[in-house]
Amino acid sequence: MVDLLKLILNVPISYKSQIIQNIPEENRINTLYVEVMSNKLIGSTLFFTLRLLTTNYTLRGIYFNATNQKIKHLSVGNKIYIKGKVAKNNLKYLQIVNPFQIAKPDGSIVPKYKKSEIALAIEQNLNFENLKKYNFPQAVNESIFKLHFYPTDEVISELDQNGTFTKDIIYALKYIEAFDYIRGIKQKVVNSPSLKKLNGDITQWITSLPFKLTGDQIKAINDIKTDLNSDIAMRRIVVGDVGSGKTMVILASMVIAYPYKSILMAPTSILTEQLYHEAIKFLPKHYKIGLVTQKSSKKIILDGFDILIGTSALIHKDLLETQLIIVDEQHRFGTRERTLLENLTSREDRRPHFIQLSATPIPRTQAMINSTFLKVSLIEEIPFKKNIKTLLIRSKDFDNLIDKINSELEKNHQVIIVYPLVEKSEKIKYQSLEEIENWWRTKFQEGVYVTHGGDKNKDIILMEFKEKGRILLSTTVVEVGISLPRLTIIVIVGAERLGLATLHQLRGRVSRTGLDGFCYLYTKSVDLKALERLNKFSSTINGFDIASMDLKNRKGGDIIRGEKQSGDTFKWFNMSEDVDMINHIISRYYK
């Protein structure tokens, strides 16, 4: 079955004058001026012979599943223009297969496609009747017909001179591509009955907290409360900037679920243990909370807990029916792990409510698109104002940097230096951890720690650094993870090599408790675009604005589903620019 919208997006590569073949050309689309000499209908297949009026050449023809209208077109004696593929049949005779009638082509312009089959498919399937069922705006329909059937001189000139299309056609292509994308993800949504309606009272718990929640936290909690009190297993993603207080939203969800069970899965042991201690600290004392990591006792009795907080070790346990599943830093897990956890806690066709959280802000356009198949809450408010200065530095600034580091260490603050490599590389012009470690240890002697992603002891080292360290030399392993209340400086070496989202996560490690923070972006780059990107990054600490900047550099990936973080998800639609279009499509078709 032809997918009309995807067919439309196969645009012409050029336009040419209509050419009538005097002699049929094998294995290609032919346009012929013919008289029908004979025809015979056997079942639904029409056999016929044609005489080319330009040369008197005789050609056989066949039409499968012929309609009454097609039989009428191919009545004996009719003189018509037809178009179709000419090929040899089993008897080695040339014949035209499933031709269609066209208007007299004198002086007309026709599109040329990468594949001749596309032209045939468009001729046979793209018409007003087939297109009107999508209820596109009239201007979109008109532009599509102009593109494929009736190109104006302006359309032809733009494609010939600049290799692109006029603004109205590009708008139409963007519109159809975005509509088709949303339609595709909507079709994959399957609603399942929930295991339980969850409607625990949250008011008393909120008032008992030693601080006031932000408006965005309250809104997210209210959204989740509505979700959980449903017979349908609800799915929501909560996206919050670094330090926006997503942990309190997680704990609130568990309160709403109580007295039924909740499971929280996080990507690292350090983050898991932090969440566990936060739960012990802020949840009611009578809640039974269990911790599951690779180090946990295999004899742990899972049914003895109201709440389980763990790493992916959870999916290797015999889990009980659980009414609420929460996955923190969801993009760090594969689809398989998330699905397996959900399946382990489901019962037949009934499934738990499912909440995902991400500290990687997404462009608002992406949030709008994904809200059509997955409920989305954005937490943009920060509980306290972050005062972080972001500075671009070069080698000449090194002495000043050392002075600043000494100044912060005297205040009992901490510093992280992030290096791009563990070992020396001939291809990359920055020093590695291996090359620089001795220099830092000699310069500062005490309190210097080193770790990286491949270090089996990194969790132990990070915990030791948190308690008594002064300087941590690391790779981007510290992007997400341990909370460091005394951290005020982060230096990112080779900053131009990292995406803005990663830079933002790294910068988010500092000023977690209201201290003045400093992020130094060290670069040797002379590339003007790279430097402009870093300067723009330095001008804001709003993660959602940064996500939009990042999007311009890497096109539009399917961020929420985690299937494709960059690349060519869209050819025409631009997620960083076409916000109004998405708003229009969602309002027109999905509200």
Side-chain angles (χ1 to χ4, degrees):
M1 186 175 179
V2 174
D3 186 327
L4 183 61
L5 300 190
K6 288 184 172 54
L7 186 63
I8 288 171
L9 295 172
N10 285 282
V11 298
I13 56 175
S14 64
Y15 293 97
K16 61 180 181 179
S17 298
Q18 181 74 277
I19 298 172
I20 301 173
Q21 276 82 26
N22 292 323
I23 301 294
E25 297 181 27
E26 185 179 353
N27 294 325
R28 60 161 293 176
I29 301 294
N30 282 241
T31 301
L32 308 170
Y33 184 33
V34 300
E35 179 182 2
V36 182
M37 303 301 293
S38 67
N39 63 26
K40 185 177 183 180
L41 186 65
I42 301 177
S44 62
T45 301
L46 183 67
F47 297 88
F48 50 91
T49 56
L50 306 169
R51 179 173 66 89
L52 275 63
L53 291 171
T54 51
T55 58
N56 280 330
Y57 188 99
T58 302
L59 179 67
R60 300 184 183 208
I62 187 170
Y63 204 98
F64 301 102
N65 299 316
T67 62
N68 289 334
Q69 184 182 28
K70 189 58 61 179
I71 294 169
K72 184 178 179 181
H73 285 162
L74 293 168
S75 297
V76 174
N78 279 1
K79 296 178 179 180
I80 55 176
Y81 291 93
I82 62 170
K83 190 173 183 179
K85 187 171 183 179
V86 173
K88 285 182 179 177
N89 61 18
N90 292 336
L91 299 175
K92 306 300 181 184
Y93 292 112
L94 283 182
Q95 69 177 14
I96 190 166
V97 180
N98 283 19
F100 50 90
Q101 185 177 6
I102 59 173
K104 187 176 180 180
D106 291 352
S108 64
I109 302 296
V110 296
K112 182 180 180 182
Y113 301 89
K114 286 184 178 180
K115 296 181 180 180
S116 57
E117 293 83 358
I118 294 173
L120 184 59
I122 286 174
E123 289 277 6
Q124 292 178 333
N125 295 280
L126 178 55
N127 53 57
F128 179 74
E129 289 299 316
N130 287 340
L131 200 56
K132 75 175 183 180
K133 66 183 180 182
Y134 294 102
N135 191 31
F136 292 144
Q138 183 61 26
V140 170
N141 290 341
E142 289 175 357
S143 294
I144 291 305
F145 281 105
K146 186 193 297 184
L147 171 71
H148 287 292
F149 293 130
Y150 316 116
T152 62
D153 290 342
E154 184 185 8
V155 171
I156 296 166
S157 175
E158 186 68 23
L159 186 57
D160 285 345
Q161 293 181 26
N162 302 311
T164 185
F165 296 101
T166 53
K167 289 182 179 180
D168 59 329
I169 288 178
I170 290 176
Y171 180 91
L173 291 169
K174 287 183 174 188
Y175 194 98
I176 288 177
E177 188 173 46
F179 173 88
D180 187 46
Y181 176 76
I182 295 174
R183 180 187 66 158
I185 57 179
K186 281 288 286 182
Q187 288 172 347
K188 295 180 180 179
V189 175
V190 177
N191 289 326
S192 302
S194 63
L195 290 163
K196 290 283 184 182
K197 281 186 174 183
L198 307 175
N199 54 10
D201 183 21
I202 196 75
T203 308
Q204 186 176 349
W205 178 78
I206 290 176
T207 56
S208 73
L209 294 173
F211 45 77
K212 187 177 180 180
L213 298 178
T214 66
D216 279 358
Q217 285 174 312
I218 292 293
K219 184 178 185 309
I221 291 168
N222 287 336
D223 288 342
I224 289 168
K225 186 171 178 58
T226 301
D227 288 350
L228 300 187
N229 190 25
S230 172
D231 290 322
I232 301 297
M234 303 304 290
R235 304 182 73 88
R236 179 173 292 276
I237 184 164
V238 179
V239 183
D241 209 343
V242 178
S244 62
K246 294 182 298 302
T247 299
M248 302 315 297
V249 175
I250 291 173
L251 299 182
S253 304
M254 294 171 169
V255 174
I256 296 168
Y258 187 82
Y260 298 104
K261 292 184 182 297
S262 302
I263 285 180
L264 167 61
M265 185 168 72
T268 66
S269 295
I270 285 183
L271 183 55
T272 298
E273 290 180 19
Q274 283 182 181
L275 290 166
Y276 171 74
H277 290 300
E278 293 285 289
I280 294 292
K281 182 178 180 180
F282 291 110
L283 288 177
K285 301 308 176 187
H286 63 278
Y287 284 22
K288 296 176 182 178
I289 305 170
L291 178 65
V292 178
T293 65
Q294 299 292 348
K295 301 175 184 177
S296 299
S297 170
K298 294 182 179 179
K299 297 180 180 179
I300 187 170
I301 302 172
L302 300 182
D303 62 354
F305 297 99
D306 304 311
I307 294 167
L308 284 176
I309 299 175
T311 62
S312 57
L314 284 163
I315 65 178
H316 302 293
K317 301 288 185 182
D318 293 326
L319 299 176
L320 303 169
E321 177 183 305
T322 304
Q323 287 71 31
L324 174 62
I325 299 293
I326 306 172
V327 177
D328 195 16
E329 293 298 326
Q330 58 87 25
H331 60 283
R332 293 179 173 267
F333 293 101
T335 302
R336 175 187 169 276
E337 290 171 299
R338 298 196 300 262
T339 303
L340 183 56
L341 179 62
E342 187 177 9
N343 290 342
L344 284 170
T345 54
S346 301
R347 290 297 176 267
E348 297 177 353
D349 66 328
R350 308 183 76 81
R351 307 188 78 78
H353 298 287
F354 199 95
I355 301 173
Q356 303 173 63
L357 294 103
S358 176
T360 302
I362 61 175
R364 293 173 183 84
T365 321
Q366 180 76 53
M368 291 167 63
I369 289 175
N370 286 280
S371 69
T372 62
F373 75 99
L374 177 69
K375 296 188 175 185
V376 179
S377 293
L378 301 182
I379 304 181
E380 299 190 55
E381 290 181 82
I382 304 296
F384 54 85
K385 184 178 179 181
K386 278 196 169 190
N387 184 21
I388 304 176
K389 291 182 179 178
T390 306
L391 303 165
L392 208 60
I393 60 172
R394 300 270 187 182
S395 298
K396 63 182 177 61
D397 304 305
F398 190 74
D399 288 343
N400 291 334
L401 173 64
I402 295 299
D403 289 342
K404 181 63 180 175
I405 288 174
N406 280 316
S407 172
E408 291 299 305
L409 293 178
E410 287 174 3
K411 300 174 187 176
N412 197 32
H413 294 163
Q414 292 176 314
V415 175
I416 289 179
I417 321 284
V418 178
Y419 284 90
L421 299 165
V422 176
E423 299 176 345
K424 182 178 180 179
S425 170
E426 299 296 332
K427 296 181 180 179
I428 297 176
K429 56 191 174 183
Y430 295 103
Q431 288 180 300
S432 65
L433 283 176
E434 187 180 70
E435 295 172 282
I436 203 67
E437 179 180 348
N438 285 339
W439 187 92
W440 286 102
R441 289 194 186 280
T442 302
K443 180 75 175 176
F444 291 92
Q445 297 181 2
E446 295 181 357
V448 177
Y449 288 76
V450 181
T451 191
H452 53 83
D455 184 356
K456 293 181 179 179
N457 297 315
K458 63 179 177 292
D459 289 354
I460 296 172
I461 290 171
L462 287 172
M463 291 304 294
E464 285 188 10
F465 172 73
K466 178 180 180 179
E467 298 302 322
K468 53 188 180 182
R470 302 172 74 212
I471 294 176
L472 176 67
L473 311 178
S474 177
T475 57
T476 56
V477 69
V478 295
E479 176 189 344
V480 176
I482 191 167
S483 176
L484 300 167
R486 295 188 289 125
L487 183 69
T488 56
I489 289 181
I490 189 162
V491 182
I492 305 168
V493 178
E496 80 284 355
R497 301 181 71 253
L498 299 176
L500 298 186
T502 300
L503 291 175
H504 183 63
Q505 289 293 321
L506 290 168
R507 180 172 59 180
R509 298 299 95 204
V510 305
S511 188
R512 296 296 290 262
T513 53
L515 296 172
D516 288 346
F518 303 88
C519 175
Y520 293 94
L521 307 176
Y522 174 61
T523 180
K524 295 180 179 179
S525 176
V526 293
D527 181 270
L528 294 179
K529 284 188 177 180
L531 296 176
E532 181 186 9
R533 189 173 67 98
L534 293 178
N535 279 318
K536 285 184 177 179
F537 171 80
S538 303
S539 68
T540 180
I541 61 170
N542 185 299
F544 292 90
D545 292 340
I546 289 165
S548 294
M549 291 180 202
D550 210 15
L551 189 62
K552 291 181 180 180
N553 298 315
R554 59 180 171 77
K555 299 187 181 179
D558 196 345
I559 299 170
I560 284 183
R561 289 189 294 174
E563 294 173 359
K564 199 173 186 181
Q565 295 297 316
S566 64
D568 300 324
T569 299
F570 299 109
K571 181 177 180 181
W572 303 101
F573 179 74
N574 188 316
M575 235 188 297
S576 66
E577 299 174 357
D578 299 322
V579 182
D580 291 343
M581 180 182 292
I582 281 296
N583 200 17
H584 169 78
I585 290 172
I586 291 173
S587 299
R588 185 180 179 101
Y589 304 103
Y590 297 105
K591 285 188 178 179

